[in-house]
Coordinates of all heavy atoms in Angstrom, one line a residue:
M1 N 15.7 45.8 98.4 CA 15.4 46.7 97.3 C 15.7 48.1 97.7 O 15.2 48.6 98.7 CB 13.9 46.5 97.0 CG 13.4 47.2 95.7 SD 11.7 46.9 95.3 CE 11.3 45.3 96.0
P2 N 16.6 48.8 97.0 CA 17.0 50.1 97.4 C 15.9 51.1 97.2 O 15.1 51.0 96.3 CB 18.2 50.5 96.5 CG 18.1 49.5 95.4 CD 17.3 48.3 95.8
E3 N 15.8 52.1 98.2 CA 14.8 53.1 98.1 C 15.3 54.2 97.0 O 16.5 54.4 96.9 CB 14.6 53.8 99.4 CG 13.9 53.0 100.5 CD 12.5 52.7 100.1 OE1 11.8 53.5 99.6 OE2 12.1 51.5 100.3
P4 N 14.3 54.8 96.3 CA 14.7 55.8 95.4 C 15.4 57.0 96.1 O 15.0 57.4 97.2 CB 13.4 56.3 94.7 CG 12.3 55.7 95.6 CD 12.9 54.6 96.4
S5 N 16.4 57.5 95.4 CA 17.1 58.7 95.9 C 16.3 59.9 95.6 O 15.3 59.9 94.8 CB 18.5 58.8 95.3 OG 18.4 59.2 93.9
E6 N 16.6 61.1 96.2 CA 15.9 62.3 95.9 C 15.9 62.7 94.5 O 15.0 63.3 94.0 CB 16.3 63.4 96.8 CG 15.9 63.2 98.3 CD 16.0 64.4 99.1 OE1 15.9 65.6 98.6 OE2 16.3 64.3 100.3
E7 N 17.0 62.4 93.8 CA 17.2 62.8 92.4 C 16.3 61.9 91.5 O 15.9 62.3 90.4 CB 18.7 62.7 91.9 CG 19.6 63.5 92.7 CD 20.3 62.8 93.8 OE1 20.6 61.6 93.7 OE2 20.5 63.4 94.9
Q8 N 16.1 60.7 91.9 CA 15.3 59.8 91.0 C 13.8 59.9 91.2 O 13.3 59.9 92.3 CB 15.7 58.3 91.3 CG 17.1 57.9 90.8 CD 17.4 56.5 91.0 OE1 17.4 56.0 92.1 NE2 17.6 55.7 89.9
L9 N 13.1 60.0 90.1 CA 11.7 60.0 90.1 C 11.2 58.5 90.2 O 11.9 57.7 89.6 CB 11.1 60.7 88.9 CG 11.5 62.2 88.8 CD1 11.0 62.7 87.4 CD2 10.8 63.0 89.9
S10 N 10.1 58.3 90.8 CA 9.6 56.9 90.9 C 9.1 56.4 89.5 O 9.2 55.3 89.2 CB 8.4 56.8 91.9 OG 8.9 57.1 93.2
Y11 N 8.6 57.4 88.7 CA 8.0 57.1 87.4 C 8.6 58.1 86.4 O 8.8 59.3 86.7 CB 6.5 57.3 87.4 CG 5.9 57.2 86.1 CD1 5.4 56.0 85.5 CD2 5.7 58.4 85.3 CE1 4.8 56.0 84.3 CE2 5.1 58.3 84.1 CZ 4.6 57.1 83.6 OH 4.1 57.1 82.3
R12 N 9.0 57.5 85.2 CA 9.5 58.4 84.1 C 8.9 57.9 82.8 O 8.8 56.7 82.6 CB 11.0 58.3 84.0 CG 11.7 59.0 85.2 CD 13.2 58.8 85.1 NE 13.8 59.2 83.8 CZ 15.0 58.8 83.4 NH1 15.8 58.0 84.1 NH2 15.5 59.2 82.2
L13 N 8.5 58.8 82.0 CA 8.1 58.5 80.6 C 9.1 59.1 79.7 O 9.3 60.3 79.6 CB 6.7 59.1 80.3 CG 6.2 58.8 78.9 CD1 6.0 57.3 78.7 CD2 4.9 59.5 78.6
I14 N 9.9 58.2 79.1 CA 11.0 58.6 78.2 C 10.4 58.6 76.8 O 9.9 57.7 76.3 CB 12.2 57.7 78.3 CG1 12.7 57.7 79.8 CG2 13.3 58.1 77.4 CD1 13.7 56.7 80.1
T15 N 10.6 59.8 76.1 CA 10.1 59.9 74.7 C 11.1 60.4 73.8 O 12.1 61.0 74.3 CB 8.9 60.9 74.7 OG1 9.3 62.2 75.1 CG2 7.7 60.4 75.6
G16 N 10.9 60.3 72.5 CA 11.8 60.8 71.5 C 11.8 60.1 70.2 O 11.1 59.1 70.1
P17 N 12.5 60.6 69.2 CA 12.6 59.9 68.0 C 13.2 58.5 68.2 O 14.0 58.2 69.1 CB 13.6 60.7 67.1 CG 13.6 62.1 67.8 CD 13.3 61.8 69.3
D18 N 12.7 57.6 67.3 CA 13.2 56.2 67.4 C 14.6 56.0 66.8 O 14.8 55.7 65.7 CB 12.2 55.3 66.6 CG 12.5 53.8 66.8 OD1 13.3 53.4 67.7 OD2 11.9 53.0 66.1
T19 N 15.6 56.4 67.7 CA 17.0 56.4 67.3 C 17.8 55.6 68.3 O 17.3 55.2 69.4 CB 17.5 57.8 67.3 OG1 17.4 58.3 68.6 CG2 16.8 58.7 66.3
R20 N 19.0 55.4 68.0 CA 20.0 54.7 68.9 C 20.0 55.5 70.2 O 20.1 54.9 71.3 CB 21.3 54.6 68.3 CG 22.4 54.0 69.2 CD 23.7 53.9 68.6 NE 24.7 53.4 69.6 CZ 24.9 52.1 69.7 NH1 24.3 51.2 69.0 NH2 25.8 51.7 70.6
E21 N 20.0 56.8 70.2 CA 20.1 57.7 71.4 C 18.9 57.4 72.3 O 19.0 57.3 73.5 CB 20.1 59.2 71.0 CG 20.5 60.1 72.1 CD 19.3 60.9 72.7 OE1 18.3 61.1 71.9 OE2 19.3 61.2 73.9
F22 N 17.7 57.2 71.7 CA 16.5 56.8 72.6 C 16.8 55.5 73.3 O 16.6 55.4 74.5 CB 15.3 56.7 71.7 CG 14.1 56.3 72.5 CD1 13.4 57.1 73.3 CD2 13.7 54.9 72.5 CE1 12.3 56.7 74.0 CE2 12.6 54.5 73.2 CZ 11.9 55.4 74.0
C23 N 17.3 54.5 72.5 CA 17.6 53.2 73.1 C 18.6 53.3 74.2 O 18.6 52.6 75.3 CB 18.0 52.2 72.1 SG 16.6 51.8 70.9
E24 N 19.6 54.2 74.0 CA 20.6 54.4 75.0 C 20.0 55.0 76.3 O 20.4 54.7 77.4 CB 21.8 55.3 74.5 CG 22.6 54.6 73.5 CD 23.6 55.5 72.7 OE1 23.5 56.7 72.9 OE2 24.5 55.0 72.0
R25 N 19.1 55.9 76.1 CA 18.4 56.5 77.3 C 17.6 55.5 78.1 O 17.7 55.5 79.3 CB 17.5 57.6 76.8 CG 18.2 58.9 76.3 CD 17.3 59.9 75.6 NE 16.3 60.4 76.6 CZ 15.1 60.9 76.2 NH1 14.8 61.0 74.9 NH2 14.3 61.3 77.1
I26 N 17.0 54.6 77.4 CA 16.3 53.5 78.1 C 17.3 52.6 78.8 O 17.1 52.2 79.9 CB 15.4 52.7 77.1 CG1 14.3 53.5 76.5 CG2 14.8 51.4 77.8 CD1 13.3 54.1 77.5
S27 N 18.4 52.2 78.1 CA 19.4 51.4 78.7 C 20.0 52.0 79.9 O 20.3 51.3 80.9 CB 20.5 51.1 77.7 OG 20.0 50.3 76.6
T28 N 20.2 53.3 79.9 CA 20.8 54.0 81.1 C 19.8 54.0 82.2 O 20.2 53.7 83.4 CB 21.1 55.5 80.7 OG1 22.1 55.5 79.7 CG2 21.5 56.3 81.9
A29 N 18.5 54.2 81.9 CA 17.5 54.1 83.0 C 17.5 52.7 83.6 O 17.4 52.5 84.8 CB 16.1 54.4 82.4
L30 N 17.6 51.7 82.8 CA 17.6 50.3 83.3 C 18.8 50.1 84.2 O 18.7 49.4 85.2 CB 17.6 49.3 82.2 CG 16.3 49.3 81.3 CD1 16.4 48.3 80.1 CD2 15.1 48.9 82.2
A31 N 20.0 50.6 83.8 CA 21.2 50.5 84.6 C 21.1 51.2 85.9 O 21.7 50.9 86.9 CB 22.4 51.0 83.8
E32 N 20.2 52.3 85.9 CA 20.0 53.0 87.2 C 19.0 52.4 88.1 O 18.7 52.9 89.2 CB 19.5 54.5 86.8 CG 20.6 55.3 86.1 CD 20.0 56.6 85.6 OE1 18.8 56.8 85.6 OE2 20.8 57.5 85.2
G33 N 18.5 51.2 87.7 CA 17.6 50.5 88.6 C 16.1 50.6 88.2 O 15.3 50.0 88.8
Y34 N 15.8 51.3 87.1 CA 14.4 51.3 86.7 C 14.1 50.0 86.0 O 14.9 49.3 85.5 CB 14.2 52.5 85.7 CG 14.2 53.9 86.3 CD1 15.3 54.6 86.5 CD2 13.0 54.4 86.8 CE1 15.3 55.8 87.1 CE2 12.9 55.7 87.4 CZ 14.1 56.4 87.5 OH 14.1 57.6 88.1
V35 N 12.8 49.7 85.9 CA 12.3 48.6 85.1 C 11.2 49.1 84.2 O 10.6 50.1 84.4 CB 11.7 47.5 86.0 CG1 12.8 46.8 86.9 CG2 10.6 48.0 86.9
L36 N 11.1 48.4 83.1 CA 10.1 48.8 82.1 C 8.7 48.6 82.7 O 8.4 47.7 83.4 CB 10.2 47.9 80.8 CG 11.5 47.9 80.1 CD1 11.5 47.0 78.9 CD2 11.9 49.3 79.6
H37 N 7.8 49.6 82.4 CA 6.4 49.5 82.8 C 5.5 49.6 81.6 O 5.4 50.6 81.0 CB 6.1 50.7 83.7 CG 4.8 50.8 84.3 ND1 4.4 49.8 85.2 CD2 3.7 51.6 84.1 CE1 3.1 50.1 85.6 NE2 2.7 51.1 84.9
G38 N 5.0 48.4 81.2 CA 4.2 48.3 80.0 C 5.1 48.3 78.8 O 6.3 48.3 78.9
G39 N 4.5 48.2 77.7 CA 5.2 48.1 76.4 C 5.4 49.5 75.9 O 4.9 50.5 76.3
P40 N 6.3 49.6 74.9 CA 6.5 50.9 74.2 C 5.3 51.4 73.4 O 4.5 50.6 73.0 CB 7.8 50.7 73.4 CG 7.7 49.2 73.0 CD 7.1 48.5 74.2
A41 N 5.3 52.7 73.2 CA 4.3 53.2 72.3 C 5.0 53.9 71.1 O 6.1 54.4 71.3 CB 3.4 54.2 73.0
A42 N 4.4 53.9 70.0 CA 5.0 54.6 68.8 C 4.0 55.3 68.0 O 2.8 54.9 68.0 CB 5.7 53.6 68.0
T43 N 4.4 56.4 67.4 CA 3.5 57.2 66.6 C 4.4 57.8 65.5 O 5.6 57.8 65.6 CB 2.7 58.3 67.3 OG1 1.7 58.8 66.5 CG2 3.6 59.4 67.8
F44 N 3.7 58.3 64.4 CA 4.4 58.9 63.3 C 4.0 60.3 63.2 O 2.8 60.6 63.2 CB 4.1 58.2 62.0 CG 4.9 58.7 60.8 CD1 6.2 58.5 60.7 CD2 4.2 59.3 59.8 CE1 6.9 59.0 59.6 CE2 4.9 59.8 58.7 CZ 6.2 59.7 58.6
N45 N 4.9 61.3 63.3 CA 4.5 62.7 63.3 C 4.6 63.3 61.9 O 4.5 64.5 61.8 CB 5.5 63.5 64.2 CG 6.9 63.6 63.7 OD1 7.2 63.1 62.7 ND2 7.7 64.2 64.5
G46 N 4.6 62.5 60.9 CA 4.6 63.0 59.5 C 6.1 63.0 58.9 O 6.3 63.1 57.7
T47 N 7.0 63.0 59.8 CA 8.4 63.0 59.4 C 9.2 61.8 60.0 O 9.9 61.2 59.2 CB 9.1 64.3 59.9 OG1 8.4 65.4 59.5 CG2 10.5 64.4 59.4
S48 N 9.0 61.5 61.2 CA 9.7 60.4 61.9 C 8.9 59.7 62.9 O 7.8 60.2 63.3 CB 11.0 60.9 62.5 OG 10.7 61.9 63.5
V49 N 9.3 58.5 63.3 CA 8.6 57.7 64.3 C 9.1 58.3 65.7 O 10.3 58.4 65.9 CB 9.0 56.2 64.2 CG1 8.4 55.4 65.3 CG2 8.5 55.7 62.8
I50 N 8.1 58.6 66.5 CA 8.3 59.0 67.9 C 7.9 57.9 68.8 O 6.8 57.3 68.6 CB 7.5 60.3 68.2 CG1 7.8 61.4 67.2 CG2 7.8 60.7 69.6 CD1 9.3 61.8 67.2
V51 N 8.8 57.5 69.7 CA 8.5 56.4 70.6 C 8.5 56.9 72.1 O 9.0 57.9 72.4 CB 9.6 55.3 70.5 CG1 9.4 54.6 69.1 CG2 11.0 55.8 70.6
A52 N 7.8 56.1 72.9 CA 7.7 56.4 74.3 C 7.8 55.1 75.1 O 7.3 54.1 74.7 CB 6.4 57.1 74.7
Q53 N 8.5 55.1 76.3 CA 8.5 54.0 77.2 C 8.5 54.5 78.6 O 9.3 55.3 79.0 CB 9.8 53.2 76.9 CG 10.0 52.0 77.9 CD 9.0 51.0 77.7 OE1 8.8 50.4 76.6 NE2 8.2 50.7 78.8
A54 N 7.6 53.9 79.3 CA 7.5 54.2 80.8 C 8.4 53.3 81.5 O 8.6 52.1 81.2 CB 6.1 54.1 81.3
V55 N 9.1 53.9 82.5 CA 9.9 53.1 83.4 C 9.6 53.5 84.9 O 9.2 54.6 85.1 CB 11.4 53.3 83.2 CG1 11.8 52.8 81.8 CG2 11.8 54.8 83.3
V56 N 9.7 52.6 85.8 CA 9.4 52.8 87.2 C 10.5 52.2 88.0 O 11.2 51.2 87.6 CB 8.1 52.2 87.6 CG1 6.9 52.9 86.9 CG2 8.0 50.7 87.4
L57 N 10.7 52.7 89.2 CA 11.6 52.1 90.2 C 10.8 51.0 90.9 O 9.7 51.2 91.4 CB 12.1 53.1 91.2 CG 13.1 54.1 90.6 CD1 13.4 55.2 91.6 CD2 14.4 53.5 90.2
P58 N 11.4 49.8 91.1 CA 10.7 48.7 91.8 C 10.2 49.1 93.2 O 9.1 48.6 93.6 CB 11.8 47.6 91.9 CG 12.7 47.9 90.7 CD 12.7 49.4 90.6
A59 N 10.9 49.9 93.9 CA 10.5 50.3 95.2 C 9.2 51.1 95.2 O 8.3 50.9 96.0 CB 11.5 51.2 95.9
A60 N 9.0 51.9 94.1 CA 7.7 52.6 93.9 C 6.6 51.6 93.7 O 5.5 51.8 94.2 CB 7.9 53.6 92.8
V61 N 6.8 50.6 92.9 CA 5.8 49.6 92.6 C 5.4 48.9 93.9 O 4.2 48.7 94.2 CB 6.2 48.7 91.5 CG1 5.3 47.5 91.3 CG2 6.5 49.4 90.2
A62 N 6.4 48.5 94.6 CA 6.2 47.7 95.9 C 5.4 48.6 96.8 O 4.4 48.1 97.5 CB 7.5 47.3 96.5
S63 N 5.7 49.9 96.9 CA 5.0 50.8 97.8 C 3.6 51.0 97.4 O 2.7 51.0 98.2 CB 5.8 52.1 97.8 OG 5.2 53.0 98.7
A64 N 3.3 51.1 96.1 CA 2.0 51.3 95.6 C 1.2 50.0 95.8 O 0.0 50.0 96.2 CB 2.0 51.6 94.1
D65 N 1.8 48.8 95.6 CA 1.1 47.5 95.8 C 0.7 47.4 97.3 O -0.4 46.9 97.6 CB 2.0 46.4 95.4 CG 2.1 46.2 93.9 OD1 1.4 46.9 93.1 OD2 3.0 45.4 93.4
A66 N 1.6 47.8 98.2 CA 1.3 47.7 99.6 C 0.1 48.6 99.9 O -0.8 48.3 100.7 CB 2.5 48.1 100.4
A67 N 0.1 49.8 99.3 CA -1.0 50.8 99.6 C -2.3 50.2 99.1 O -3.4 50.3 99.8 CB -0.7 52.1 99.0
V68 N -2.3 49.6 97.9 CA -3.6 49.0 97.4 C -4.0 47.9 98.3 O -5.2 47.7 98.6 CB -3.3 48.5 95.9 CG1 -4.5 47.7 95.5 CG2 -3.2 49.7 95.0
A69 N -3.1 47.0 98.7 CA -3.4 45.9 99.6 C -4.0 46.4 100.9 O -5.0 45.8 101.4 CB -2.2 45.0 99.8
S70 N -3.5 47.4 101.4 CA -4.0 48.0 102.7 C -5.4 48.5 102.5 O -6.3 48.3 103.3 CB -3.1 49.1 103.2 OG -3.6 49.7 104.3
A71 N -5.6 49.2 101.4 CA -7.0 49.8 101.1 C -8.0 48.7 100.9 O -9.1 48.8 101.4 CB -6.9 50.7 99.9
V72 N -7.6 47.6 100.2 CA -8.5 46.5 100.0 C -8.8 45.8 101.4 O -10.0 45.5 101.7 CB -7.9 45.4 99.1 CG1 -8.7 44.1 99.1 CG2 -7.9 46.0 97.7
D73 N -7.8 45.7 102.2 CA -8.1 45.1 103.6 C -9.1 45.9 104.4 O -10.0 45.4 105.0 CB -6.8 45.0 104.4 CG -5.9 43.9 103.8 OD1 -6.4 43.0 103.1 OD2 -4.7 43.9 104.2
E74 N -8.9 47.3 104.3 CA -9.9 48.2 105.0 C -11.3 48.0 104.4 O -12.2 48.0 105.2 CB -9.4 49.6 104.8 CG -8.2 49.9 105.7 CD -7.7 51.4 105.5 OE1 -8.6 52.2 105.1 OE2 -6.6 51.6 105.8
L75 N -11.4 47.9 103.1 CA -12.7 47.8 102.5 C -13.4 46.5 102.9 O -14.6 46.4 103.0 CB -12.6 47.9 101.0 CG -12.4 49.3 100.4 CD1 -12.2 49.2 98.9 CD2 -13.5 50.2 100.7
E76 N -12.6 45.4 103.0 CA -13.2 44.1 103.4 C -13.8 44.1 104.8 O -14.6 43.3 105.1 CB -12.1 43.0 103.2 CG -11.8 42.7 101.8 CD -10.7 41.7 101.6 OE1 -10.0 41.4 102.6 OE2 -10.5 41.3 100.5
G77 N -13.4 45.1 105.6 CA -13.9 45.2 106.9 C -15.2 45.9 107.0 O -15.9 45.9 108.0
Y78 N -15.7 46.6 105.9 CA -16.9 47.3 105.9 C -18.1 46.3 105.7 O -18.0 45.3 105.0 CB -17.0 48.3 104.8 CG -16.2 49.5 105.1 CD1 -15.1 49.9 104.2 CD2 -16.4 50.4 106.2 CE1 -14.4 51.0 104.5 CE2 -15.7 51.5 106.4 CZ -14.6 51.8 105.6 OH -13.9 52.9 105.8
D79 N -19.2 46.6 106.4 CA -20.5 45.9 106.1 C -21.2 46.6 105.0 O -21.6 47.8 105.2 CB -21.3 45.9 107.4 CG -22.7 45.1 107.2 OD1 -22.9 44.7 106.1 OD2 -23.4 45.0 108.2
D80 N -21.3 46.0 103.8 CA -21.9 46.7 102.7 C -23.3 47.3 102.9 O -23.5 48.4 102.5 CB -22.1 45.7 101.5 CG -20.7 45.3 100.9 OD1 -19.7 46.0 101.1 OD2 -20.7 44.3 100.2
E81 N -24.1 46.7 103.7 CA -25.4 47.2 103.9 C -25.3 48.5 104.8 O -26.0 49.5 104.5 CB -26.3 46.2 104.6 CG -26.7 45.1 103.7 CD -27.7 44.1 104.4 OE1 -28.3 44.4 105.4 OE2 -27.7 42.9 103.9
E82 N -24.5 48.5 105.8 CA -24.3 49.7 106.6 C -23.6 50.8 105.9 O -24.0 52.0 106.0 CB -23.5 49.4 107.9 CG -24.2 48.6 108.9 CD -23.4 48.3 110.1 OE1 -22.4 49.0 110.3 OE2 -23.7 47.3 110.8
A83 N -22.7 50.5 105.0 CA -21.9 51.5 104.3 C -22.8 52.3 103.3 O -22.5 53.4 103.1 CB -20.7 50.8 103.6
F84 N -23.8 51.6 102.8 CA -24.6 52.2 101.7 C -26.0 52.5 102.2 O -26.9 52.7 101.4 CB -24.6 51.4 100.5 CG -23.2 51.3 99.9 CD1 -22.4 50.2 100.0 CD2 -22.7 52.4 99.2 CE1 -21.2 50.1 99.4 CE2 -21.4 52.3 98.6 CZ -20.7 51.2 98.7
E85 N -26.2 52.5 103.5 CA -27.6 52.7 104.0 C -28.1 54.1 103.6 O -27.3 55.1 103.8 CB -27.5 52.6 105.6 CG -28.9 52.6 106.2 CD -28.8 52.3 107.7 OE1 -28.1 51.4 108.1 OE2 -29.5 53.1 108.4
G86 N -29.3 54.2 103.1 CA -29.8 55.4 102.7 C -29.5 55.8 101.3 O -29.9 56.9 100.8
H87 N -28.7 55.0 100.6 CA -28.3 55.3 99.2 C -29.0 54.4 98.3 O -29.2 53.2 98.6 CB -26.8 55.2 99.0 CG -26.0 56.2 99.8 ND1 -25.8 57.5 99.4 CD2 -25.4 56.1 101.0 CE1 -25.1 58.1 100.3 NE2 -24.8 57.3 101.3
A88 N -29.4 54.9 97.1 CA -30.1 54.1 96.1 C -29.2 53.1 95.5 O -28.0 53.2 95.4 CB -30.7 55.0 95.1

């Protein structure tokens, strides 16, 4: 899995009117290696539909998953009674 370059952000929220241009922006992000993160959101501003789609780089997700797994492993090593001694 390639690491993100300095130009690429790990997370992007792409927003805009629900047009072909918006879909092209999402398609370009996918071609650059981003993956969709969650479903799209849509709202109406009184004139047009505005949409949003989050995209992430897979390396960023893997890195975050590894950090969470490491934190969970550390927490599993604590003795609950000692960790909260003196707390209600």
Side-chain angles (χ1 to χ4, degrees):
M1 188 174 336
E3 290 295 318
S5 69
E6 286 194 33
E7 300 94 38
Q8 286 184 300
L9 297 171
S10 296
Y11 170 88
R12 291 175 52 199
L13 180 63
I14 301 171
T15 62
D18 188 13
T19 62
R20 177 181 178 88
E21 193 254 336
F22 175 81
C23 293
E24 288 171 350
R25 290 171 61 204
I26 297 298
S27 295
T28 298
L30 296 174
E32 292 172 349
Y34 286 90
V35 294
L36 301 177
H37 182 69
T43 190
F44 184 68
N45 69 0
T47 306
S48 57
V49 175
I50 305 298
V51 290
Q53 176 64 59
V55 294
V56 296
L57 289 173
V61 173
S63 184
D65 287 348
V68 169
S70 177
V72 168
D73 287 345
E74 287 179 24
L75 286 175
E76 288 176 349
Y78 286 120
D79 179 357
D80 288 343
E81 289 180 22
E82 287 180 23
F84 295 104
E85 189 174 315
H87 295 279

